[in-house]
Amino acid sequence: MNIVIMNYTTDTLGENIESPIPVLQGLHDLTPDELLLSQEHYESEVRSYPRRLPVAIAKASGVLVEDSRGQTYLDCLAGAGTLTLGYNHPEINQALIEQLNAGIPYQTLDITTPAKDHFIRELMAFLPQDFSENTKVQFCGPSGADAVEAAIKLAKQTTGRNTIAAFHGAYHGMTNGTMAMMGNLGTKSRRQGLMADVHFLPFPYDLRCPFGLQGEQGARQGLRYIERMLADDESGVQKPAAIIVEPVQGEGGVIPAPAFWLQELRRITEENGILLIFDEIQCGIGKTGEHFAFEESGVKPDILCLSKAVGGGLPMSLLVFDKEIDTWLPGEHTGTFRGNQLAMVSGAKAMEIIRRDNLANKAKITGDYLRRGLEKIALTTSCIAEVRGKGLMLGVEICDPEGGKNKFGEPLSAPELTIAIQRAALERGLIIEKGGREGSVLRFLPPIIITFEQIDFALKALQDAIESLVEPTQAVQPADTLQQNWRDHFIHTGKDGAESFEAAMNATTQALKKIFENTESPYSGIDPTVLASQIRHANLGETPQSLDDVIEETSELIAKNSIIVQHPHCIAHLHTPPLIPAVAAEAFITALNQSMDSWDQASAATFVEQEVTDWLCQRFGFDEKADGVFTSGGTQSNLMGLLMARDNAIEKISGTDVQKDGLPDYADKLRVISSKNSHFTMQKSASLLGLGEHAVICVDTYSDGTMDIESADATLAALKAEGLIPFAITGTAGTTDHGAIDDLDDVAMLAKKHGLWMHVDAAYGGALMLSRHHARLEGIERADSLTIDFHKMFFQPISCGAVILKDKNHFGYIRHHADYLNREEDVLPNLVDKSIATTRRFDALKLWMTLQNVGPQALGSMVDHLLNQTQLVADMVNNRSQFELLAAPCLSTVLFRYVGVNQGLDLDYLNKQIRLDALVKGRAVVGETVVDGNVALKFTLLNPCLKLSDFDSLLNELESLADDAVKQVQG
């Protein structure tokens, strides 16, 4: 049969990659040809792969193999995970050619060579640094089983104990010792005299949990079983020398061990003096989205077994183990082919390529894409019980399509159907392996260079193979079933009505807990183009996924790649770590879903918001005539303040009602006075109010960044002389960059002198009213309107702000009657009368719960601490020769820039580059602004939990980044 290879050029992960895709013209011919018949004649009955994959390979390249008939296949087996970079990678081929031409022997026992030394150094760079820095390497024979045998000998002689513990579903090789630790009973059924004293433990397996549980609960029960067994002097199991485990079981069915489970297993082994062996022979070297599968857990094994891909496609196995357990005597474990020089060359080159091209991370991305595709197929058929795995090591468990259950209530395995699907896929040009319980798991181990287009081909081939054997599930469901399914997506009242809500919240909490506990930098450092590609390939509008999967994907894709505001090096913006009571309030707010426009949509919420705004009015020195309303933040509050000022002025000037009559013909003469450091939302508000940005007149500031009152007074006089109409003056309590606080008493004096509405933007500095620095806000009580943001120095989640009016009657400027909301005869309050928004969130609850739990005194102390710490950090910056402090801090911002020690550098460019490098490399999130025409860096201190040592560390990071940037500039 003829087959066409088509070359597609596509933008994949930000790169142009040619993706050869087999294009079938019918099904492949799988009848044995001359080569297969010859193999059957000469080779032993022990051969296995040719029975299920009757292919005689003639040549291969990348992810494709061509058989002796010229038929091409997409290979998702890749030498059982050995060919991690695919077939005949050109760089590996070239390295081997150069090695052969160099005249060095093929193998040298354990005598060293330049190739061997280079391999070891590359391996050490490939390993996690905290693991490699205290390890030794031992080269074993050519197979993975040789490495495991050596590991077992090392563990036994080191501990003086003979017992070994392995896991259900384990596979470690086919030698006498390794078979003894194998889970598969069929393979061992005719073997006698295997290594003694091996005990098996439960491995976390959601679908077939030995405890009848699922998820974390089942895994934790398994851990309890292990720990209890070790502590029980009647367990019948002697303390083992070692516990050996695959972080992702391969032959056992592609079952990944959860990170927390590996962490707990490490704790148990350490507490009991047991060595922990990780067998990463199949799951290591980039397949799972990390260099090694155990890296996600953050634990270190005592012994790491490697083979398959570590040799770059050629035979080699080795151990990496803690120096403290290097108890070998010279020549105590040998092997002729432990010096395979060609494997060392190909292995070193493979690891170099994976590191250089960040292929492990790309395997995570393409693996997610493949997994989502497999999950979509699972939704269209009744024969897939589960899709699982990590990165590009994935498994699809096949079950009885009729829905049969075994005696444990689990999906009935379908080994014959699995074999049939494997063959049907092969007929359609796809090579996949099988394994797992009863051989009912289809396994995907493609090279990590596989592209999205090639994955699409694999998915299409698999789906066609399944549909050729199993009827697709019906897409249309009965109406009552559909409605029942819809119910699963909502919270319901009554008994058990909120169980799904509880499960979702618990899963979300656990996912976020894991994110926070494992965060090491304020940003993941993922390349923005790669992140955009991952999000672009998300499942939107396609076949829905389970909520657990969506939460997991959100955690991995969104949360992990978000800016982590809690990290000590996240210090760029007015962006606070939220207080826990406020985060808890968010759960109430979203689940109760109150709409703050009418009492019958927000009963208790209406009274809570009113109580909180009354407290705010009192705290800021207003009397009982004042009132307020919650807003989305400073932008909306400033807009409302100027709206009230505009309408009040027009009413006074001409008795015009702007609501009914619109703007008068003199509206283009209306002017607002602000300082040059006021927030840009003043201009934005003027534009939205129909006055134009030119209506905001920005006056000069003093050297400390506050409004120049004399300049403002002169400007007002000049405007009036021109026939213009100043109607409002805005004071700022905390400018965005400098944190400057205008003299609000002086601003109030000007407002009174010229008959102006006084608005104060205290979005940043309003929290000073709770602190011992409250006198800095003196005069704020004379304002006609006041903006305050709680998602700044009140440490509330975004978004949460308020606007306060000295005279509540001014809310009448925005009141509009609606029969369904604010009927005239209503006796219960409807807050829609006070807001330019109709539907609003119950954000007041966040501040309510915070005041109840934390209290205003503690909040004020936090603000005091931040202001004091800001002065100390400014001193730290000032005392470093490479940085220049640009202004004395007013609130909690530190403005500075890198100046270095070399002359003639473009400092604006360098400071921009330092901030950008800090962000994209995941080192720090710092601000950038302009001070006196110079590009500046900015720290905004809004985390009261930070210590001065955190800032010392941050400044060291910036100095290091600056040095790198200078080197790049100087070439």
Side-chain angles (χ1 to χ4, degrees), residues 521-523 563 567-572 914-927 939 953-955 957-958 961:
S521 60
Y523 175 62
I563 303 300
H567 192 276
H569 291 179
C570 183
I571 199 158
I914 290 166
R915 183 199 68 83
L916 183 61
D917 288 347
L919 176 62
V920 299
K921 293 179 180 179
R923 307 267 285 277
V925 182
V926 297
F939 290 165
S953 170
L954 176 55
L955 289 168
E957 288 278 12
L958 295 182
L961 290 165

Side-chain angles (χ1 to χ4, degrees), residues 574 620 633-635 637-639 642 674 677-682 729-736 740-742 744 747 758-766 777 780 783 785-789 792 802 891:
L574 289 166
F620 281 94
T635 299
S637 295
N638 285 337
L639 175 64
L642 290 189
S674 292
N677 285 339
S678 63
H679 199 261
F680 74 90
T681 51
M682 297 305 163
I729 185 168
T730 68
T732 305
T735 57
T736 303
I741 299 175
D742 293 336
L744 300 179
V747 174
M758 177 183 174
H759 176 74
V760 175
D761 179 0
Y764 181 7
L777 298 180
I780 200 169
S785 57
L786 167 65
T787 286
I788 184 166
D789 262 9
K792 293 185 171 67
L891 268 179

Side-chain angles (χ1 to χ4, degrees), residues 334-373:
T334 63
T336 301
F337 291 104
R338 66 191 188 277
N340 186 341
Q341 297 299 293
L342 293 179
M344 291 175 187
V345 169
S346 56
K349 179 57 69 173
M351 288 186 286
E352 174 194 331
I353 293 167
I354 293 169
R355 282 203 305 135
R356 181 195 69 200
D357 297 343
N358 198 18
L359 292 183
N361 187 61
K362 291 183 179 181
K364 182 183 295 184
I365 297 167
T366 48
D368 287 344
Y369 184 75
L370 175 56
R371 178 173 181 156
R372 288 197 298 269

Side-chain angles (χ1 to χ4, degrees), residues 288-310:
T288 62
E290 307 280 354
H291 284 180
F292 299 95
F294 73 84
E295 288 187 71
E296 182 188 10
S297 68
V299 306
K300 293 182 290 186
D302 297 299
I303 304 174
L304 176 65
C305 302
L306 298 174
S307 185
K308 293 188 185 292
V310 79

